[in-house]
Amino acid sequence: MAGSTIDHLVSVTVFLGALMLFIGLFNQTIQTAIIYQHHRVLAVKCSDLLDNMLLNPGMPIDWGKSNVTPTGFGLQDPEFTQYRLSPFSLMRLQSAVGDTVYYPKTGQYYSNITVGFGNFLLVPFTEAINYSLAARLLGINGTYSFQLTVTPVVTVSISKLQSNPLNLSVNVKGRGFPLPNAMVSYCFITVKTGGGAYPSFTTDYGTVYTNAEGSAVLSFPSVDEDNDSYVLIAYAHLSGLIGVGYYEHVTHDENYVVPFISDFEERTVIIAHSYDVHGGDNPAAIAYNATFVLLTEDFTLREVPMENSTGKVGKINYGEGKPYKTITIPTYNPGILVITYKKSAVETGVVLMPWGISSLAFPVVFGDDPSSSDWVTTDLRQVIVNDIAYQAKLALWSLEGYQVIG
Amino acid sequence: MMRTIEILLVIIIITSAFIIASFYAVLPIPRRVSPINLRRLALTTLQTLDVDYDLSEIVFLPENDTLWGQLQIALSACLPPNVVYNLTVYEVQSGSTGELYLPIKSISNAESLGIGSDAASYLVASSNVTFRVVPEKIGEHGGGGTLYILNCSDANGWWITGYTAHTLAEDLYNLLSPYFQITIMVQNTTQLGQILNGTSLQGETVQGAVIINTCGEAVPIPAGYYSSSGVGYDTGAGSYALYCYTLGQKVREHNFTWVSIVGYPLYYVCNTGLFPNQQNSWGIYGMKRVGAAGLNAFLKGLDNQSYSYDSGWITGSPGVVYLSSDSMYYANYYGIYPSPYQTATRALPSWITSTYHLTVTTYVLNPVGGWIPGAVFRNTGSGSLFALGLTRTPDIRLTVLGLLSDYKPRLYRSEYTATGTSRLVVLQLGLVGGV
């Protein structure tokens, strides 16, 4: 009797122990499967969300060219179909990178997509679309978080080979891959030194082809590196891929012009003195002269005259009681605002601002930071922004976690 | 003891069940759990490569190794490094049994596409499938063929209300450049001075060129020689009417056709560098009023008469005017349809034809009484004036129509060919590396 009881007890104990062990083992497998399923759903959601952003222009469809707050989020260019994005909608996205800039004279904070000295894109927060609004409009607020990165496919980097005579090397690359035999059309703007109330400039245009290493050398023997400020803007084209690059040299950078977008609808840009924005040494009044260039259909750059009434020339000073100036971009075609400035006859410089994100191939990073997330899924699309080839990458992660009871 | 053995048997059964279940319940590899959508990536890559119809051109030239080499470079340049591809072009043949796809060219950058791949297809059409019209180029058979469009950054316009000289220049370029051997945007007044000197800007033929002034009633004036006293500036009258006279002489010398798109021709001279503090009395700086003397001087220069300052107003205002029957015909021929009736307030008088030895070669708008609201006037010697004496705002389609009606370039309509007009491009992408 006692033996049978012991046998019973041992068998039940072993059975229960084995049962618990196997429940745990099966649960482990099921948990992993469920998490995998969540990840799969996240990947599908990422692909859908990316298409949703890129294949609809938003509401209203021309919100990129106006000051309205959209009621539907989308980045497609309303004048096209498929994966063509509006350079202006992208410009209105509040950048996730770049330090915010405060300009006391307007009392506003500006989203900053500045790429090095002299290449500014500053959009007021009041006009920019912030991430939380986009998430709400996409219907993922509180459930998913994302980061959208739109970067140019073709990199056109320009470096100086020699100062006297001036030789510049234009290097055209894809994703780490040089592009030989690419057509490079360029616009070279030189700020004239000498008298006159406002800075004047000369423009040279030309076309060259890259060699087997994907580079081309441009020579400008008439430029004096010590006395001349200049900027080179180059567009590269190969088999449907178009990229843009730029290079600037200034003889004076203590006082310069900082352009702020003021109004998208009216196409106005504030011309501010650098001392009022970034401070610095030896502040002084400067005169400026603005011009606008755009890329034509035959991949050459063309200057668009700006009328005097648009404020193309003027003088700005720093400090209180010295108001900023305003200029009006002459067109809604994407292009580059080139502002030459001078402090004196020999102290000059030049700054650029893209009108439409693609004109200077500025990258866009919009959304939240994925670095602290457990699982981030990404998806890619090739997109066109005003003929410039970009790659759009969406990183998506869940905010709800994957709690599995077990 | 028996129960313990039974339990052990149960454990063995459950263990076997777990092992068998685990064997069949294979979890997918991470790459398949969270994949890149290769199908979409392939499609968008093809669309990107075809943004300027470059891909469409290449797939119809399978024997052109240079272009295919460039396509391979472009593909490698725009795809992520861990993505390999295979691009195949198929000829699409239609028959009674359906469509047949014949592979004609394939390129790849890897022997295999890894463990998983996806593909997208993209149908491209040959340029043959499109109904194309190739215009005859003006000057193709000798004489002229150059179109200059004044797009001077240092000159403002007047009576082009609602437009800028640049936007008008842009539209004119798009509409007229297919019909000319070469079309050049004149970027500043310095370049205008070069043309007037007979110097080419890009190796083009200067003689017999057409110059369109997009500044409306204002005419850009180069600084320096052309604005100097005795050449451009009439010191006695204190007027730049002399520049208009010199301009007329240059038009005669180089057999130019000078085009005035709106209003009273040559009523102001403009150069923002030359007249930074002067305005046209309506608040537009960089401009100086010449008045009616400008046109009178121009016509004298065109006819090689001696210069004398004459500020007499010569235009009239016939009001509503209509397109001529020739213009209506050519509007249909070239597919340019401006409004058939316009308002003329600066129509030239018909007596100038005898006074200045002009022949009207094209009436764009019907004459009304003694007024000619829009026409091309050719001097019996050399040089022409095409003046549209309409009120603002200008409609540059009239300018285009007038020039085309005068030069009459023919349109060659290409044939529609139905065979071999479509090809299917399949781009298959695969992922390499990783798990």
Side-chain angles (χ1 to χ4, degrees):
Chain A
M1 185 63 189
S4 113
T5 306
I6 290 165
D7 183 25
H8 197 172
L9 284 171
V10 169
S11 64
V12 167
T13 307
V14 171
F15 179 74
L16 288 175
L19 196 64
M20 295 306 291
L21 180 69
F22 284 116
I23 286 172
L25 284 172
F26 274 109
N27 201 28
Q28 196 81 29
T29 307
I30 290 165
Q31 261 190 59
T32 311
I34 289 171
I35 289 172
Y36 268 43
Q37 196 57 37
H38 273 293
H39 292 164
R40 176 78 189 171
V41 168
L42 193 63
V44 172
K45 180 74 182 173
C46 182
S47 185
D48 287 350
L49 195 63
L50 185 56
D51 280 342
N52 196 19
M53 286 181 194
L54 305 182
L55 292 176
N56 95 81
M59 186 77 73
I61 58 171
D62 61 344
W63 65 269
K65 292 180 179 176
S66 67
N67 300 328
V68 300
T69 302
T71 53
F73 185 78
L75 299 170
Q76 191 190 42
D77 192 329
E79 294 174 14
F80 292 95
T81 58
Q82 296 296 334
Y83 293 88
R84 280 178 176 260
L85 307 190
S86 163
F88 297 103
S89 298
L90 287 168
M91 201 160 72
R92 282 193 69 189
L93 301 182
Q94 191 174 308
S95 176
V97 293
D99 296 331
T100 300
V101 173
Y102 178 68
Y103 184 45
K105 286 187 176 174
T106 57
Q108 290 200 48
Y109 286 92
Y110 291 82
S111 168
N112 182 5
I113 320 181
T114 297
V115 182
F117 173 83
N119 305 300
F120 301 103
L121 181 55
L122 297 155
V123 179
F125 275 15
T126 50
E127 304 277 331
I129 305 303
N130 61 38
Y131 166 68
S132 66
L133 173 65
R136 277 204 310 279
L137 295 176
L138 289 165
I140 58 167
N141 198 26
T143 51
Y144 297 100
S145 213
F146 73 86
Q147 186 182 71
L148 177 69
T149 312
V150 186
T151 46
V153 171
V154 178
T155 309
V156 182
S157 57
I158 302 170
S159 57
K160 186 164 59 188
L161 292 178
Q162 189 179 313
S163 294
N164 196 12
L166 179 63
N167 281 348
L168 298 174
S169 172
V170 181
N171 300 295
V172 185
K173 284 183 179 174
R175 298 271 163 200
F177 206 90
L179 299 188
N181 205 30
M183 188 181 90
V184 177
S185 61
Y186 64 87
C187 170
F188 188 76
I189 299 173
T190 319
V191 186
K192 283 185 189 170
T193 53
Y198 305 109
S200 56
F201 53 87
T202 56
T203 48
D204 289 309
Y205 303 89
T207 303
V208 291
Y209 286 85
T210 56
N211 60 18
E213 284 79 42
S215 65
V217 176
L218 301 176
S219 191
F220 303 98
S222 61
V223 174
D224 179 358
E225 179 85 2
D226 296 329
N227 297 317
D228 293 332
S229 297
Y230 59 83
V231 60
L232 175 70
I233 304 163
Y235 280 82
H237 173 233
L238 179 89
S239 279
L241 295 181
I242 304 168
V244 58
Y246 38 89
Y247 181 84
E248 288 155 312
H249 168 78
V250 299
T251 57
H252 178 73
D253 61 3
E254 282 187 332
N255 299 277
Y256 54 93
V257 165
V258 180
F260 292 96
I261 300 270
S262 173
D263 189 306
F264 282 96
E265 206 157 299
E266 301 293 326
R267 307 189 304 275
T268 52
V269 175
I270 287 172
I271 303 293
H273 193 290
S274 60
Y275 185 80
D276 290 334
V277 183
H278 301 301
D281 299 323
N282 307 317
I286 48 175
Y288 67 87
N289 187 350
T291 191
F292 190 75
V293 292
L294 50 78
L295 180 69
T296 59
E297 287 178 0
D298 56 356
F299 309 112
T300 55
L301 289 155
R302 185 178 302 155
E303 187 181 338
V304 182
M306 293 172 71
E307 292 186 15
N308 271 347
S309 57
T310 60
K312 67 171 284 190
V313 294
K315 284 186 178 171
I316 46 169
N317 211 336
Y318 63 97
E320 286 184 20
K322 310 287 185 188
Y324 55 78
K325 296 293 170 63
T326 304
I327 59 172
T328 305
I329 304 278
T331 172
Y332 252 126
N333 291 319
I336 304 164
L337 181 66
V338 182
I339 308 172
T340 54
Y341 61 87
K342 67 188 268 188
K343 181 191 162 196
S344 67
V346 292
E347 293 170 298
T348 61
V350 57
V351 299
L352 306 175
M353 189 200 87
W355 179 241
I357 199 85
S358 55
S359 308
L360 286 177
F362 273 22
V364 175
V365 182
F366 177 65
D368 213 347
D369 179 13
S371 58
S372 58
S373 304
D374 290 335
W375 181 273
V376 180
T377 186
T378 57
D379 210 345
L380 289 175
R381 300 284 184 275
Q382 311 281 7
V383 296
I384 302 292
V385 188
N386 191 45
D387 285 347
I388 306 294
Y390 272 77
Q391 199 167 69
K393 185 172 82 176
L394 184 73
L396 187 77
W397 59 99
S398 175
L399 296 176
E400 294 178 320
Y402 306 113
Q403 293 299 318
V404 180
I405 299 164
Chain B
M1 190 63 190
M2 201 53 211
R3 286 196 179 88
T4 305
I5 291 168
E6 284 171 356
I7 288 302
L8 288 174
L9 284 172
V10 167
I11 289 169
I12 289 167
I13 290 166
I14 295 176
T15 306
S16 306
F18 178 74
I19 290 168
I20 291 166
S22 299
F23 181 76
Y24 283 106
V26 178
L27 293 171
I29 58 172
R31 191 196 289 165
R32 285 191 177 153
V33 172
S34 184
I36 290 178
N37 192 330
L38 290 176
R39 185 186 298 262
R40 285 284 177 185
L41 184 61
L43 177 67
T44 54
T45 301
L46 290 171
Q47 287 176 339
T48 298
L49 295 173
D50 200 34
V51 64
D52 289 312
Y53 307 104
D54 286 336
L55 182 64
S56 300
E57 186 188 345
I58 292 168
V59 298
F60 282 94
L61 298 168
E63 70 287 348
N64 190 326
D65 292 336
T66 309
L67 286 177
W68 279 88
Q70 288 184 358
L71 177 63
Q72 271 191 297
I73 291 165
L75 268 170
S76 301
C78 66
L79 289 171
N82 63 330
V83 174
V84 290
Y85 66 83
N86 180 307
L87 184 141
T88 308
V89 178
Y90 295 87
E91 176 86 59
V92 184
Q93 290 186 348
S94 300
S96 55
T97 54
E99 287 183 328
L100 189 63
Y101 295 90
L102 299 173
I104 54 169
K105 180 92 178 179
S106 184
I107 53 171
S108 180
N109 67 343
E111 282 193 7
S112 74
L113 294 172
I115 54 168
S117 67
D118 215 333
S121 59
Y122 187 77
L123 196 64
V124 296
S126 159
S127 55
N128 290 338
V129 84
T130 313
F131 187 73
R132 294 183 69 186
V133 175
V134 180
E136 177 190 12
K137 300 278 186 188
I138 294 167
E140 201 171 281
H141 306 295
T146 303
L147 172 65
Y148 293 111
I149 302 173
L150 301 192
N151 181 39
C152 302
S153 57
D154 53 351
N156 293 325
W158 182 246
W159 259 43
I160 53 173
T161 319
Y163 298 99
T164 61
H166 165 74
T167 54
L168 291 172
E170 187 93 352
D171 289 341
L172 283 166
Y173 185 92
N174 292 334
L175 287 167
L176 279 173
S177 59
Y179 297 98
F180 282 81
Q181 298 269 59
I182 183 168
T183 304
I184 295 174
M185 294 288 228
V186 179
Q187 301 287 7
N188 48 51
T189 53
T190 309
Q191 290 187 345
L192 172 61
Q194 276 181 261
I195 300 166
L196 297 181
N197 289 338
T199 310
S200 69
L201 300 177
Q202 296 175 17
E204 76 283 0
T205 306
V206 178
Q207 196 73 14
V210 175
I211 304 175
I212 303 180
N213 176 22
T214 56
C215 295
E217 290 195 323
V219 57
I221 177 172
Y225 173 73
Y226 284 103
S227 55
S228 63
S229 183
V231 177
Y233 188 64
D234 181 353
T235 318
S239 169
Y240 280 95
L242 186 55
Y243 167 67
C244 301
Y245 175 79
T246 306
L247 191 64
Q249 285 191 313
K250 291 291 176 185
V251 168
R252 180 186 179 85
E253 181 185 340
H254 301 299
N255 193 21
F256 289 147
T257 299
W258 184 268
V259 182
S260 173
I261 62 170
V262 72
Y264 207 114
L266 311 144
Y267 203 76
Y268 303 92
V269 287
C270 56
N271 184 322
T272 53
L274 194 62
F275 312 118
N277 302 313
Q278 284 164 306
Q279 47 126 333
N280 67 342
S281 76
W282 299 97
I284 302 296
Y285 279 82
M287 196 176 286
K288 196 164 170 58
R289 188 174 180 275
V290 179
L295 177 60
N296 293 332
F298 177 88
L299 291 171
K300 282 177 182 162
L302 180 63
D303 197 36
N304 207 19
Q305 297 180 18
S306 57
Y307 171 75
S308 62
Y309 182 77
D310 175 7
S311 60
W313 185 284
I314 62 169
T315 67
S317 182
V320 175
V321 291
Y322 295 89
L323 284 182
S324 66
S325 56
D326 273 358
S327 295
M328 298 281 241
Y329 169 80
Y330 285 110
N332 242 347
Y333 186 75
Y334 294 109
I336 299 166
Y337 298 98
S339 172
Y341 53 89
Q342 304 281 337
T343 305
T345 55
R346 303 287 187 270
L348 296 188
S350 55
W351 57 259
I352 61 167
T353 53
S354 54
T355 309
Y356 299 108
H357 305 100
L358 301 169
T359 307
V360 177
T361 52
T362 299
Y363 285 103
V364 181
L365 297 153
N366 285 326
V368 179
W371 303 111
I372 303 174
V376 179
F377 301 88
R378 291 206 182 280
N379 187 267
T380 48
S382 175
S384 310
L385 170 68
F386 172 22
L388 283 167
L390 303 176
T391 191
R392 60 188 170 184
T393 305
D395 183 348
I396 51 96
R397 289 174 299 180
L398 284 166
T399 308
V400 175
L401 183 60
L403 282 172
L404 294 179
S405 303
D406 196 56
Y407 283 96
K408 302 178 182 59
R410 282 170 291 187
L411 297 177
Y412 301 109
R413 289 173 168 84
S414 62
E415 285 184 5
Y416 179 91
T417 52
T419 55
T421 52
S422 298
R423 284 187 181 172
L424 186 74
V425 185
V426 176
L427 179 61
Q428 194 177 6
L429 299 180
L431 281 171
V432 292
V435 289

